Structure formats: structure tokens, C-alpha cells
Amino acid sequence: MPEPTAPRTRVAVLISGSGTNMAALLYASRLAGCPYEIVLVASNNPAAPGLDLARAEGVPTFALAHKGMAREEHDAAMHHALTAARADYVALAGYMRVLSDGFVAQWAGRMLNIHPSLLPRYPGLHTHQRAIEAGDSHGGCSVHLVTATLDEGPLLGQLAVAIRPGDTADTLAARVLFAEHQLYPRCLADYVARVRDPRWLTAQVRERAMALPEAEETLSHGMACFGVVKGKKFAWVSADHHGDGRVALLVKISGTDEQADLIERDPERYFRPAYFGGDWIAIRLDLGDTDWDAVDDWLQRSWRAIAPKRLTALLDVADMF
């Protein structure tokens, strides 16, 4: 029997106008293999034409005019609509509102934006005119994560568009818009899919494991594994090992009783790793909802189980401060 298809990531899109980038995201989501689906289109402009397009395509919508409302109050209402739609991520697509710090913090690492310039050049407005006036050879667009500072979040992708002789801001904007429609769906798909990508998941474990005292990484039986230098191993990353189709972190636990309890409580997330004893547990990393703080705790606990006392004593002292 084939493996069940992984659930698609739920994305809400915020717009203020025509919603052409929203449409690009929506139609891309209907292609085979796309890792996300659009579950809501929301706007601060009830008359936004993009809302009509979303409704025609059967996508739920939400609209609330911001006039007469405090910024935090309006953002709270938008946040409620997003959570009610069970959105995992938010894509800003021509949403012409500066978001409050509180709203940005609630969606930190889960909110993307597309900007019509090659950031960090020309944040803010009038990007095409500024590029032309500066004599640039290219304009373009950028997809980035949203942070509290406008247009300064980490870049996820860019696409350059040549500035031709005689270009105006309008003619350049029209071509950049074509580029935006290509770039945004690709960046969104790549970003949400990373939570099931073995390479990205292994990198997240590596960063945490190698931060522990005297940790080293080796490759064993085709798996990345981590141990204390010239000592025992405390963690492994299994990626489709023996063709099981899973990406998991293997760490030490107290014994078979704890192993059985974990598996009984959450059999989708926990399983007994093949060829490991009862004092190890495998924790799925590819379910799309990994708690990385919990992974930190698992790694530290497993490291403590095998590290010499001279190292654990140092860590104990550090934990006191």
C-alpha cells in the first residue's frame, strides 16, 4: 500500500487590491505536488477586487475595513480570522498596511511578503522609479520573511528584471509583476516544504547537537550521528532508513517502560528504531509541527546520559546562570 500523502500546509493570503499575486499563489497551489493550499483570502478593503476572484474560485474570504480602528485592534481581528481558518502561514500579497509589532511577533517565521525591488535596495514605496533614477541596469522583486522592520526580513528569493531604455515606472512595474507571479509561488512552496526536507531537518538537529560541549558529528550506517569527542553517541538522524519513509531523531531514554509509554501516547510521532535497544526512541521530525525547543531538551538529556561527569558538571554550573 502506498504511503499516505503528507497533508498540505494551510496558507492565508492578505491583500488590499486586485490580488494578482494572490491569484498566482492560488493557481500554483492547484498544481500536482504543491505543498500548500490557500485556505483564506483576507483584506482590509472590503471592495478589493481580489476578494471577488477568491470567492469565484471557492476560497473563503474575510474583509474588515481598517478606517476608524486602532492598528492593534484591526490586527487582532485579522489574527482571529487567520487562526479561525487554521492557517499555518500568512502570505502578504499587496497588503497595504503596516503591521503592528504584536501581529508580526505572533506570526514570526511564518509570514512572507513579496516586494518589488531587489532588496536591500529600495525598501518602501516608488521602487521602480527609484531604480530608474539611480541608473540601475535591473529592477526586480524579492520574497522575504516579515519582521518588525519594514522590508528587512531574511531573503528567501529574488528575480532580476532588466531595465530597458525608455522604461517608465509603469512599464517596468508591468514586467516585474510577471516576475513576481513566478517567484512568489516557488519561494512559498520551498519554504513551507522545508519542514519535511531531510536536509533541512538534519541541519536543524546538527545546529543544536553541535552546540553541546565537545560534540562531534560522524556518518554511521548512512545516518548523521552525534557523540562526545572520542566517546559514545547521543543522537542519530534517520532519513528514510531501511526505506521506512520517515525522518526521525534518535535519542537515549530511560528504558523500555518509557519507550512503550511514549509510543502508546503518540504512535505517529514516536516509534522504536530498528536495530537499537529499548533505551532509545525515534521521534518523527517530518510531521510539519516539530517543537524545536523540545528537540533541544531531548538532545541535552541524551547528551547528559552518555557524557563524562567532567562535562556534565560544567553544564550544570552554566545552567545556574
Side-chain angles (χ1 to χ4, degrees):
M1 181 178 295
E3 285 288 317
T5 303
R8 295 202 296 163
T9 300
R10 299 172 65 85
V11 176
V13 185
L14 301 188
I15 66 172
S16 293
S18 61
T20 61
N21 268 307
M22 176 276 294
L25 295 174
L26 172 61
Y27 294 131
S29 76
R30 293 178 175 174
L31 296 174
C34 185
Y36 69 83
E37 60 179 327
I38 304 302
V39 298
L40 179 72
V41 174
S43 181
N44 64 313
N45 175 16
L51 293 172
D52 293 332
L53 173 60
R55 294 186 191 107
E57 292 291 352
V59 179
T61 63
F62 173 80
L64 178 65
H66 64 270
K67 291 184 178 180
M69 297 182 68
R71 188 177 305 279
E72 290 75 12
E73 181 185 6
H74 187 267
D75 283 357
M78 299 299 284
H79 176 73
H80 178 75
L82 299 176
T83 56
R86 297 185 293 114
D88 301 308
Y89 288 80
V90 177
L92 306 182
Y95 189 62
M96 305 303 291
R97 290 277 291 164
V98 175
L99 297 165
S100 63
D101 289 351
F103 184 92
V104 172
Q106 287 173 310
W107 293 93
R110 297 185 295 142
M111 183 159 55
L112 289 69
N113 182 48
I114 189 157
H115 181 75
S117 80
L118 298 175
L119 292 171
R121 297 179 70 84
Y122 316 125
L125 302 175
H126 312 300
T127 59
H128 307 302
Q129 188 62 42
R130 291 156 68 189
I132 292 170
E133 290 176 354
D136 293 350
S137 63
H138 288 76
C141 52
S142 306
V143 175
H144 64 93
L145 293 179
V146 177
T147 61
T149 304
L150 184 68
D151 298 332
E152 287 194 9
L155 289 171
L156 301 179
Q158 292 186 312
L159 198 55
V161 175
I163 297 176
R164 301 186 302 186
D167 258 336
T168 65
D170 288 341
T171 59
L172 177 58
R175 294 200 307 284
V176 169
L177 190 60
F178 285 125
E180 291 178 24
H181 295 169
Q182 307 304 310
L183 181 67
Y184 208 179
R186 174 67 63 86
C187 287
L188 177 60
D190 288 347
Y191 189 68
V192 303
R194 81 200 189 290
V195 296
R196 294 184 174 85
D197 184 336
R199 294 167 299 179
W200 186 83
L201 293 168
T202 301
Q204 301 309 301
V205 173
R206 177 180 297 114
E207 178 182 354
R208 291 161 171 80
M210 294 301 291
L212 293 167
E214 294 193 18
E216 67 173 357
E217 179 181 0
T218 56
L219 189 68
S220 177
H221 302 289
M223 295 187 289
C225 65
F226 303 91
V228 173
V229 173
K230 297 181 180 179
K232 297 179 180 179
K233 307 304 181 188
F234 64 88
W236 307 66
V237 179
S238 170
D240 193 29
H241 202 51
H242 300 292
D244 67 3
R246 298 177 288 197
V247 182
L249 169 68
L250 280 55
V251 290
K252 291 189 72 66
I253 52 175
S254 61
T256 55
D257 287 345
E258 184 180 13
Q259 184 188 75
D261 180 63
L262 288 166
I263 294 171
E264 181 179 359
R265 285 195 284 118
D266 192 348
E268 183 181 26
R269 191 173 309 276
Y270 299 101
F271 62 96
R272 179 170 182 165
Y275 307 110
F276 283 72
D279 57 345
W280 289 84
I281 192 69
I283 308 166
R284 292 282 298 273
L285 300 175
D286 56 350
L287 298 177
D289 61 351
T290 298
D291 182 341
W292 290 104
D293 289 336
V295 169
D296 275 331
D297 292 341
W298 279 114
L299 287 168
Q300 288 193 32
R301 176 184 166 184
S302 191
W303 178 89
R304 284 179 180 275
I306 61 93
K309 289 184 178 180
R310 66 178 177 81
L311 293 180
T312 58
L314 290 173
L315 198 62
D316 289 338
V317 171
D319 288 344
M320 294 174 62
F321 296 94

